Amino acid sequence: MGGSAGETPKAPLDRSRRRLLVVVAVALVVALLGVLSPLWIRSPQQLAAEAAPPPPTVLTAPVEQRVLRDTVVVRGEVRPMQSVEVTPGVRGEGAAIVTAVKVRPGDRIKAGAVALEVAARPLIVLPGRTPAYRDLKPGAQGKDVAQLQVALRKLGYPTADPAGWFGAGTKDALTRFYADRGYEPLPTTENDQQQVDEAEQQVVAAERAVVDAQDEARELARTPGTTRQQRSAAAKNVTRAQEDLTRARQRLAEVRENTGPMLPQSEYTFLPSFPARVDAMTAAVGSEVVAPLITFAAGELVVRATLTEAQRAVCEPGQAVEIAGDEGLNADGEITSIGHEEPADPAGGNGAPPSGVSLLVTPASRLDAKASGQNVRLTIETASSGGAELVVPVTALYAAADGATYVTKRDAEGREQQVVVVPRLSAQGHVAVTVPDGRLQSGDLVTIGLA
């Protein structure tokens, strides 16, 4: 009991220590809040400063020395200068059956060659720009007859007929032309020879009638007692017989002129240039004729495209064109012609050309025949600065109160200087400029905006 009576009571001491710890902890928290308070407590000035946007960044672009070009880009298709579809028919009896095929698609064909046969009759290709549109018969006249005569002459079959008139010389040349290809030309009519024979017989009869009338007149003249009236009647008979003979001979000449070998429309076609190519064909031996039976590609390959009205306003013949194809085709060319307006397909069918203005581009050098049918990109140079000039972005230009046009030149230290420029050609977001005082050169930076 005496040991326990001398110990210090613990309860008051523990309470004092706890109070001390609480005070220390509170002091630490207050100190910490004092340190951290600037992180989330802001003055109005600080809040305004933090809400303001960052200072703008000046955007610049370099001045370039180059040729400035303005271009129009369209899609086009490589095609022959002219495409001619031919579907021969059959004259008279017989079915329209293909009996021979002498060429294949892609083949080149020469002037005067036989491409195929329908019902054992040839289809011949001849040089000429006037399309075949009718049978060319003896006695016919016109530009197409003159074209036939020129074609026959070039192929070695000259004729002495006047140009444009299908006479005896043309008939003879045509007969020899056909014979050298293993055919006989068709007659103008089925009874040509019968008409000639009948006309010749009429001439013979008329000649005999003249002789008989002359003999009778001479006999009367020698007979005593013949009256003047009898001699006059005999003379009239001679005159009438001679007139009948003249008419008979004229009739024979007309029959001969208008009969004989002819060139039916079903057996020929004119193509504007050679050698031509066979572009497509449905003909097969033994098959019926189906249109189009054969398609010829005449002339060199060109590119055809369509322009919008806006593009048409800046394009004109003679402008340079870059031709680029997906299959490695790259060529230079120029606009040959800008034609009529192409109507839109009223049915909206696929594959119909869009409405617009037709464009023809001629390559500077001959394209390979394999390029036919390719879809290509045409880059048309509608304007050019010519030589290399100083070029700046359009956004670098601004007008001042004095009416001049300026750019702002900026150096590496950020110093700025106004420079007077004279704008020239504008294209593709850039402008070619001249600098009167020479204070702007290639490589300098000009201000184009703020970001």
Side-chain angles (χ1 to χ4, degrees), residues 239-310:
T239 301
R240 290 170 179 170
Q242 290 173 337
E243 290 173 350
D244 290 343
L245 176 59
T246 298
R247 285 192 292 269
R249 286 174 174 170
Q250 289 175 343
R251 170 60 181 163
L252 176 59
E254 291 174 358
V255 171
R256 286 176 172 170
E257 179 180 309
N258 296 309
T259 58
M262 64 172 290
L263 184 61
Q265 185 182 357
S266 60
E267 296 188 8
Y268 78 104
T269 187
F270 284 124
L271 300 180
S273 63
F274 285 88
R277 294 184 303 281
V278 179
D279 202 30
M281 184 168 60
T282 61
V285 175
S287 65
E288 293 187 2
V289 170
V290 177
L293 189 64
I294 187 168
T295 303
F296 296 102
E300 299 300 332
L301 293 178
V302 296
V303 184
R304 297 186 183 276
T306 303
L307 299 175
T308 65
E309 287 296 337

Side-chain angles (χ1 to χ4, degrees), residues 355-445:
S355 61
V357 180
S358 62
L359 172 73
L360 176 64
V361 173
T362 301
S365 57
R366 179 180 298 177
L367 299 183
D368 191 295
K370 296 179 181 178
S372 182
Q374 282 193 34
N375 187 275
V376 296
R377 183 179 68 256
L378 301 177
T379 303
I380 304 167
E381 184 178 285
T382 57
S384 172
S385 61
E389 296 193 28
L390 290 179
V391 175
V392 300
V394 171
T395 52
L397 302 179
Y398 63 93
D402 59 2
T405 301
Y406 291 86
V407 297
T408 299
K409 177 180 174 182
R410 187 180 179 88
D411 63 18
E413 287 73 32
R415 294 186 294 268
E416 295 183 342
Q417 180 184 14
Q418 285 186 322
V419 179
V420 176
V421 297
V422 178
R424 295 186 65 251
L425 174 67
S426 175
Q428 300 177 341
H430 288 75
V431 181
V433 298
T434 55
V435 185
D437 58 11
R439 290 187 297 153
L440 193 67
Q441 298 180 359
S442 177
D444 289 343
L445 296 179

Side-chain angles (χ1 to χ4, degrees), residues 337-351:
S337 65
I338 300 176
H340 61 280
E341 185 174 346
E342 297 287 350
D345 179 15
N350 293 330

Side-chain angles (χ1 to χ4, degrees), residues 175-254:
T175 299
R176 291 184 287 114
F177 173 81
Y178 262 79
D180 287 346
R181 283 150 185 78
Y183 303 92
E184 289 186 6
L186 291 179
T188 301
T189 65
E190 294 181 358
N191 60 347
D192 270 6
Q193 192 56 49
Q194 180 181 346
Q195 292 184 55
V196 173
D197 292 344
E198 290 176 352
E200 288 177 344
Q201 291 172 7
Q202 290 174 1
V203 169
V204 171
E207 289 173 342
R208 290 173 178 174
V210 169
V211 172
D212 290 345
Q214 290 173 339
D215 288 345
E216 181 180 355
R218 283 193 294 268
E219 183 64 26
L220 286 173
R222 291 193 299 266
T223 302
T226 302
T227 65
R228 177 191 293 183
Q229 185 177 4
Q230 288 175 323
R231 289 195 297 270
S232 175
K236 286 182 179 179
N237 288 337
V238 171
T239 301
R240 290 170 179 170
Q242 290 173 337
E243 290 173 350
D244 290 343
L245 176 59
T246 298
R247 285 192 292 269
R249 286 174 174 170
Q250 289 175 343
R251 170 60 181 163
L252 176 59
E254 291 174 358

Side-chain angles (χ1 to χ4, degrees), residues 84-86 88 98 100-107 109 114-117 123 277-285 287 290-296:
V84 180
E85 295 180 349
V86 183
V98 178
V101 176
K102 301 180 181 294
V103 292
R104 295 177 299 177
D107 286 353
I109 188 168
V114 176
L116 49 82
E117 291 180 1
L123 174 64
R277 294 184 303 281
V278 179
D279 202 30
M281 184 168 60
T282 61
V285 175
S287 65
V290 177
L293 189 64
I294 187 168
T295 303
F296 296 102

